[in-house]
């Protein structure tokens, strides 16, 4: 879909500032947005819009090809991550590991685990990450990108679709599980995320947005959610 020029440019500039400020080694991960900015600027004169398909081919693909090693998908991630879906039990885990939420039918980007690992290793002061996402249609095409903002607590409280993808540090996952059990509250992903965000803010840690499309939601899950909210 077309992305409005001015709106996209403002959001991208904010992301770049948030994700590159005071960081040297990690700046390469903002390169895709810098290139995207250049493409937007080149179209300013004739006020054209850029399609999402073109962004994938001209910006995202070359960026990942340059950044990510060819053997990245062969790397062993089980020592760090636990993939969690809504059918699994809500129980405590190794506090040094990270939970990655993945709804049945949805997919992680093939580059997701590599970037998640880099982020978790670099941002030691962070207990919760989320990223941008899009939708996979019935023809297996990526559509409707959801480019998100930096952490917004009030928006998160009021928008169940704030993010489908969360990377939660085991330490905070466990604290949320214990508190809900102690209060005899119902445990679901939403209630756990609320407790996780409260705990992180109390301890003055960070919730960070990763400005890369690392999650692909199935069109069936997307439509099912819309129907349930009518």
């Amino acid at each position: 879909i077309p992305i409005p020029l001015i709106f996209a440019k403002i959001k991208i500039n904010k992301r770049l500032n948030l994700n590159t400020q005071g960081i040297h080694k990690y700046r390469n991960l903002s390169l895709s947005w810098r290139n995207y900015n250049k493409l937007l600027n080149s179209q300013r004169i004739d006020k054209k819009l850029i399609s999402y398909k073109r962004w994938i081919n001209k910006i995202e693909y070359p960026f990942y090809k340059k950044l990510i090693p060819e053997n990245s998908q062969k790397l062993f991630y089980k020592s760090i991550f636990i993939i969690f879906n809504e059918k699994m039990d809500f129980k405590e885990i190794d506090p040094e590991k990270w939970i990655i939420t993945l709804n049945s039918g949805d997919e992680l980007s093939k580059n997701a685990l590599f970037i998640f690992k880099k982020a978790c290793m670099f941002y030691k002061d962070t207990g919760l990450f989320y990223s941008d996402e899009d939708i996979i249609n019935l023809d297996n095409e990526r559509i409707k990108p959801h480019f998100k903002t930096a952490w917004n607590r009030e928006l998160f409280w009021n928008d169940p679709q704030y993010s489908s993808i969360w990377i939660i540090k085991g330490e905070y996952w466990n604290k949320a599980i214990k508190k809900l059990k102690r209060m005899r509250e119902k445990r679901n992903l939403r209630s756990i995320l609320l407790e996780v965000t409260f705990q992180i803010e109390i301890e003055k840690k960070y919730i960070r947005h990763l400005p890369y499309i690392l999650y692909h939601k199935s069109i069936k899950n997307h439509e099912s959610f819309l129907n349930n909210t009518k």
Side-chain angles (χ1 to χ4, degrees):
I1 61 172
I3 303 171
L5 173 63
I6 296 176
F7 181 69
K9 192 174 189 311
I10 291 173
K11 291 182 72 174
I12 291 165
N13 277 330
K14 286 184 177 179
R15 281 181 218 162
L16 286 175
N17 291 334
L18 287 168
N19 283 276
T20 60
Q21 198 171 31
I23 295 171
H24 176 67
K25 294 181 180 180
Y26 210 63
R27 279 181 178 170
N28 284 338
L29 286 182
S30 292
L31 187 59
S32 66
W33 291 111
R34 294 188 185 282
N35 289 338
Y36 187 22
N37 244 352
K38 290 179 182 178
L39 185 55
L40 288 172
N41 283 328
S42 70
Q43 297 180 338
R44 177 180 288 180
I45 296 175
D46 51 11
K47 298 180 181 178
K48 288 182 180 178
L49 298 175
I50 176 174
S51 70
Y52 184 45
K53 185 175 181 180
R54 185 180 177 200
W55 181 83
I56 292 171
N57 293 331
K58 298 293 184 181
I59 301 297
E60 185 185 63
Y61 176 73
F63 164 71
Y64 283 135
K65 187 176 181 181
K66 182 178 179 180
L67 177 71
I68 298 180
E70 291 183 3
N71 66 340
S72 66
Q73 299 313 306
K74 298 178 182 179
L75 298 177
F76 191 71
Y77 294 104
K78 289 185 178 179
S79 61
I80 302 174
F81 299 120
I82 297 173
I83 307 297
F84 181 87
N85 65 52
E86 68 275 11
K87 296 180 181 178
M88 297 172 66
D89 293 331
F90 293 93
K91 58 184 181 181
E92 294 180 43
I93 65 168
D94 182 339
E96 295 302 315
K97 288 191 176 184
W98 293 78
I99 289 277
I100 298 176
T101 60
L102 180 65
N103 294 324
S104 300
D106 295 350
E107 303 173 18
L108 293 176
S109 158
K110 65 179 183 180
N111 303 305
L113 293 179
F114 178 86
I115 292 192
F116 292 161
K117 181 180 178 182
K118 287 286 185 182
C120 293
M121 292 175 65
F122 186 84
Y123 291 116
K124 300 295 187 181
D125 57 357
T126 302
L128 181 65
F129 295 94
Y130 62 100
S131 75
D132 297 337
E133 59 190 86
D134 60 16
I135 294 172
I136 299 288
N137 66 15
L138 295 178
D139 295 321
N140 205 34
E141 297 173 330
R142 291 172 56 187
I143 60 172
K144 297 184 177 181
H146 183 185
F147 296 113
K148 301 168 189 172
T149 65
W151 173 245
N152 184 317
R153 177 177 54 190
E154 289 74 19
L155 183 58
F156 166 70
W157 287 346
N158 291 282
D159 183 4
Q161 274 201 305
Y162 187 89
S163 183
S164 302
I165 173 67
W166 298 96
I167 306 92
I168 310 164
K169 191 166 186 179
E171 173 189 352
Y172 295 105
W173 173 271
N174 292 346
K175 287 178 180 178
I177 294 287
K178 288 177 181 177
K179 185 173 180 180
L180 291 171
K181 186 185 294 186
R182 187 169 64 250
M183 297 175 65
R184 298 183 180 180
E185 294 285 343
K186 182 178 180 181
R187 280 172 281 175
N188 54 43
L189 187 56
R190 181 69 177 171
S191 64
I192 288 175
L193 282 167
L194 285 168
E195 289 299 332
V196 165
T197 59
F198 292 152
Q199 191 64 43
I200 289 173
E201 291 182 351
I202 289 171
E203 296 185 14
K204 297 183 179 180
K205 300 297 183 180
Y206 290 92
I207 299 170
R208 292 189 187 272
H209 169 234
L210 300 175
Y212 319 102
I213 294 180
L214 303 175
Y215 191 90
H216 309 305
K217 181 184 286 188
S218 74
I219 188 70
K220 291 182 179 179
N221 284 349
H222 177 67
E223 291 176 347
S224 175
F225 177 86
L226 294 179
N227 290 334
N228 290 335
T229 55
K230 287 182 178 178

